[in-house]
Amino acid sequence: MLKIKIKETQNPAIIKFEFPDFITQNENFEFKNIDEAKNAPLVQQLFYLPFVKSVYISGNFIAIERYNIVEWKDVQDDVAEQIEEFVNNGGIIIKADENKSKKQPVTVYGEMTPNPSTLKFVVNKMVTKTAMEFKNIDETKPSPLSKELFSFPYVKEIFIDENYISVSKYDSYEWNDITIELRSFIKLFIENGGTVLDEELVVASPKIEKQKIENFDSLDTTSQQIINILEEYVKPAVAADGGNILFDSYDDSEKRVKVVLQGACNGCPSSTFTLKSGIENMLKDMLNDKDIIVEAING
């Protein structure tokens, strides 16, 4: 018999009712009233409860926002029991959309990176042309996949580029315990037509904009040379490890190059060695300037 777990959220008006398995095909649904829930029989039933303000379904949980006429501690057990009874009696949570396109099989596998806190999930097709980093759920408007991944308590940061998703975890979790769940979730999300990254919604950061052609042309010659070296010789190598590097600035008086590390490179124990013994020496040699210094402003 199905058993629901009750989980509090940061918002005292919202509580989550977690299922032991996923209940949606890697989609999320939000209902503000009973009329919006025509394809969600369980949600329709929940709206008959006078304190239910809105219902959100995603992954393996149903989140309910209440009106202030009650406290969750007084009603949450009854709601969980109602959900359990509905499902155990064969009730349908979300009706399948008959017009939805058929599943497109994809392959996803996990790949270790030099950063023990980051795992690279490689997909057998391109998922984006724009590299994007997400440090929290508030930044994920362009990426429905990232928004869903942040619902997992162990996901700390996400970096997406070309055909992979790099996920950084909190140290209190072990990859052996969470890798299969993450890989399966990403695979199903993409197979069912979920959007990994909507590039039309991407707002480029100043660091990314700086390296576009129209802004690149306004930089000094040395900065342009540094960007070209990073793009041609460094980026392919760090991308293979699930990371990225961006040029931030060059100070000619100090001969100091500042870069931004993303994905697996950010926080990686070996990043300092890579910057000093690898990138710094490469720039010194290719720019013929032994005084060049390279530092990461976020690592």
Side-chain angles (χ1 to χ4, degrees):
M1 299 292 284
L2 173 75
K3 195 66 180 174
I4 297 293
K5 291 183 179 179
I6 301 171
K7 295 289 184 68
E8 295 181 352
T9 70
Q10 294 180 339
N11 185 338
I14 299 175
I15 205 161
K16 290 168 66 174
F17 298 88
E18 288 191 353
F19 290 69
D21 298 304
F22 292 119
I23 57 176
T24 71
Q25 296 297 315
N26 299 297
E27 297 175 290
N28 55 72
F29 303 87
E30 186 173 13
F31 306 96
K32 297 293 187 183
N33 55 64
I34 196 170
D35 291 336
E36 295 180 356
K38 292 178 180 178
N39 292 324
L42 173 57
V43 178
Q44 286 184 317
Q45 181 173 310
L46 290 171
F47 271 117
Y48 283 113
L49 299 172
F51 53 84
V52 171
K53 182 179 181 181
S54 62
V55 181
Y56 180 80
I57 300 178
S58 178
N60 70 328
F61 67 87
I62 295 175
I64 300 177
E65 181 180 8
R66 62 168 172 81
Y67 288 108
N68 292 329
I69 59 175
V70 297
E71 295 295 330
W72 272 122
K73 62 183 176 60
D74 298 323
V75 297
Q76 63 187 35
D77 291 335
D78 291 335
V79 175
E81 184 178 337
Q82 185 176 137
I83 295 173
E84 288 172 352
E85 183 178 353
F86 178 91
V87 177
N88 286 329
N89 288 330
I92 297 173
I93 298 174
I94 298 287
K95 291 181 180 178
D97 185 354
E98 295 179 355
N99 296 320
K100 189 175 178 180
S101 59
K102 291 185 177 180
K103 183 185 292 187
Q104 298 295 319
V106 299
T107 300
V108 178
Y109 66 90
E111 192 175 273
M112 298 303 295
T113 74
N115 187 341
S117 295
T118 302
L119 197 63
K120 177 181 177 183
F121 292 92
V122 183
V123 186
N124 66 333
K125 69 174 187 175
M126 291 286 290
V127 295
T128 181
K129 296 179 181 177
T130 305
M132 285 295 295
E133 184 177 46
F134 303 100
K135 293 189 174 294
N136 56 67
I137 196 169
D138 294 333
E139 299 176 351
T140 60
K141 185 177 180 181
S143 176
L145 172 60
S146 297
K147 183 177 180 180
E148 295 297 321
L149 288 173
F150 273 115
S151 68
F152 293 104
Y154 43 75
V155 172
K156 183 179 181 182
E157 295 179 9
I158 299 165
F159 176 74
I160 301 175
D161 193 14
E162 295 186 343
N163 69 326
Y164 67 88
I165 299 99
S166 289
V167 178
S168 299
K169 67 173 180 63
Y170 288 100
D171 292 339
S172 56
Y173 295 88
E174 298 296 331
W175 283 121
N176 287 341
D177 300 326
I178 62 178
T179 299
I180 293 176
E181 182 178 37
L182 274 175
R183 187 194 70 81
S184 298
F185 183 85
I186 293 170
K187 180 179 187 298
L188 286 171
F189 185 95
I190 297 173
E191 279 185 340
N192 286 286
T195 301
V196 175
L197 186 67
D198 186 343
E199 300 190 35
E200 293 183 359
L201 297 179
V202 170
V203 178
S205 71
K207 299 177 185 63
I208 296 174
E209 286 290 338
K210 184 181 296 183
Q211 295 171 70
K212 288 188 175 180
I213 294 175
E214 58 266 31
N215 298 305
F216 176 87
D217 291 341
S218 65
L219 297 174
D220 62 273
T221 301
T222 303
S223 294
Q224 291 179 346
Q225 291 176 319
I226 293 169
I227 290 176
N228 286 334
I229 292 169
L230 294 178
E231 289 286 334
E232 184 172 355
Y233 297 99
V234 180
K235 276 196 175 186
V238 297
D241 288 333
N244 192 31
I245 186 169
L246 294 172
F247 171 80
D248 179 79
S249 61
Y250 170 67
D251 186 327
D252 187 57
S253 62
E254 296 183 348
K255 303 291 184 180
R256 187 180 303 275
V257 179
K258 293 184 178 181
V259 297
V260 177
L261 301 177
Q262 295 180 318
C265 296
N266 185 19
C268 177
S270 62
S271 62
T272 301
F273 177 81
T274 301
L275 285 173
K276 295 299 179 183
S277 299
I279 299 170
E280 188 174 286
N281 287 340
M282 180 186 294
L283 291 176
K284 285 179 177 179
D285 182 57
M286 299 186 77
L287 296 175
N288 195 27
D289 189 338
K290 62 181 177 60
D291 296 322
I292 290 284
I293 300 171
V294 177
E295 69 176 41
I297 62 176
N298 66 330

